[in-house]
Amino acid sequence: MNIAEQLPTDWHAILSEELQKDYIVSLQKKIQKARIESTVYPPPDQVFTAFDACSFSNCKVLLLGQDPYHGPGQAHGLSFSVPKGVRIPPSLRNMYKERQSDIGLPIPTSGNLSSWAKQGVLLLNAVLTVEEKKAGSHAKWGWMTFTDAIISNLSAQKKPMVFLLWGNFAQKKMRLIDTTKHTVISSVHPSPLSARRGFFGSKPYSKVNAALAKLGRKPIDWQL
């Protein structure tokens, strides 16, 4: 796996210094070894789907997830999203329920969120690979250093944007964000374990679009 070769040109340019660091070499070797010895998700050509779908210059919302789905056929490089035809995971189902409550859109049959990404929503997981059926298995390999650098670079850009942070893990990333420039919208996680403690009723979709309008940026069409 060569991260530098797989990243789209604009993201590569932004992250050029980060890609020269020693931990990147170590991370690549660990993933190469893991793919030989075990099943790793997402597939090699889908690890950077989020960056392919949403360019750095077009990015106006960051929706941060933690870890890729670790079941067969689920992870395809976009946080919270699954390919069309794959059963909708519980957290995403709760996202759809809140979307219906917030802006009146019906519950979709597909869990593919690619259309959001193409409009400028970076669907980023903090960790970009995982071993099958072992959640968090690659969490300490260096991915979070890499994705922290992505968040910091997004924060440093001139154009203000919206950061959508759900749950304690995501909210800890607020330290990387210039909150005097950017809008942060946070709540508990949509997981079934926590959704009823404040995700339901948090109205993230309408809040994101209100914030984008205030920033003079085009709102997201949340339809799927």
Side-chain angles (χ1 to χ4, degrees):
M1 179 187 196
N2 188 309
I3 294 173
E5 288 180 3
Q6 287 185 263
L7 276 175
T9 305
D10 63 333
W11 285 102
H12 185 286
I14 294 296
L15 297 165
S16 57
E17 286 185 25
E18 199 67 22
L19 293 168
Q20 303 300 315
K21 295 182 178 178
D22 291 343
Y23 82 89
I24 293 287
V25 176
S26 172
L27 171 61
Q28 291 173 160
K29 287 179 178 176
K30 285 176 181 175
I31 294 167
Q32 284 168 347
K33 186 170 184 283
R35 288 202 186 273
I36 294 168
E37 297 175 350
S38 63
T39 300
V40 173
Y41 300 128
D45 62 340
Q46 295 178 8
V47 173
F48 299 105
T49 301
F51 306 93
D52 292 328
C54 177
S55 68
F56 182 84
S57 59
N58 190 44
C59 184
K60 54 190 176 186
V61 180
L62 169 67
L63 175 51
L64 185 67
Q66 188 166 350
D67 207 38
Y69 295 119
H70 53 84
Q74 291 181 304
H76 67 142
L78 301 173
S79 63
F80 296 101
S81 179
V82 291
K84 187 176 180 180
V86 174
R87 186 177 179 180
I88 297 170
S91 290
L92 180 55
R93 189 162 293 282
N94 284 339
M95 288 166 58
Y96 285 168
K97 288 177 181 176
E98 178 58 21
R99 189 188 71 148
Q100 184 177 45
S101 170
D102 183 10
I103 54 176
L105 293 175
I107 305 290
T109 56
S110 170
N112 192 329
L113 306 179
S114 296
S115 67
W116 294 359
K118 290 171 184 174
Q119 295 177 71
V121 182
L122 183 66
L123 296 166
L124 178 70
N125 279 316
V127 178
L128 299 186
T129 57
V130 68
E131 185 177 338
E132 183 176 28
K133 297 180 181 177
K134 291 186 180 179
S137 49
H138 297 179
K140 296 180 179 178
W141 286 11
W143 276 129
M144 282 199 265
T145 304
F146 180 68
T147 54
D148 278 0
I150 290 165
I151 297 168
S152 295
N153 274 283
L154 287 168
S155 177
Q157 68 169 327
K158 290 181 180 179
K159 283 193 290 189
M161 57 178 287
V162 180
F163 291 83
L164 199 49
L165 307 178
W166 291 337
N168 292 333
F169 174 85
Q171 287 163 24
K172 287 176 182 174
K173 304 296 182 179
M174 210 172 310
R175 62 185 170 80
L176 305 170
I177 301 165
D178 181 354
T179 55
T180 64
K181 184 198 311 181
H182 304 289
T183 301
V184 176
I185 296 170
S186 62
S187 75
V188 300
H189 197 275
S191 159
L193 299 172
S194 57
R196 296 192 184 283
R197 299 203 303 267
F199 178 74
F200 291 139
S202 63
K203 300 187 180 299
Y205 307 96
S206 58
K207 284 180 180 176
V208 165
N209 279 349
L212 288 172
K214 196 172 181 180
L215 296 172
R217 306 194 73 173
K218 187 178 178 181
I220 304 300
D221 179 356
W222 297 109
Q223 293 186 85
L224 292 168

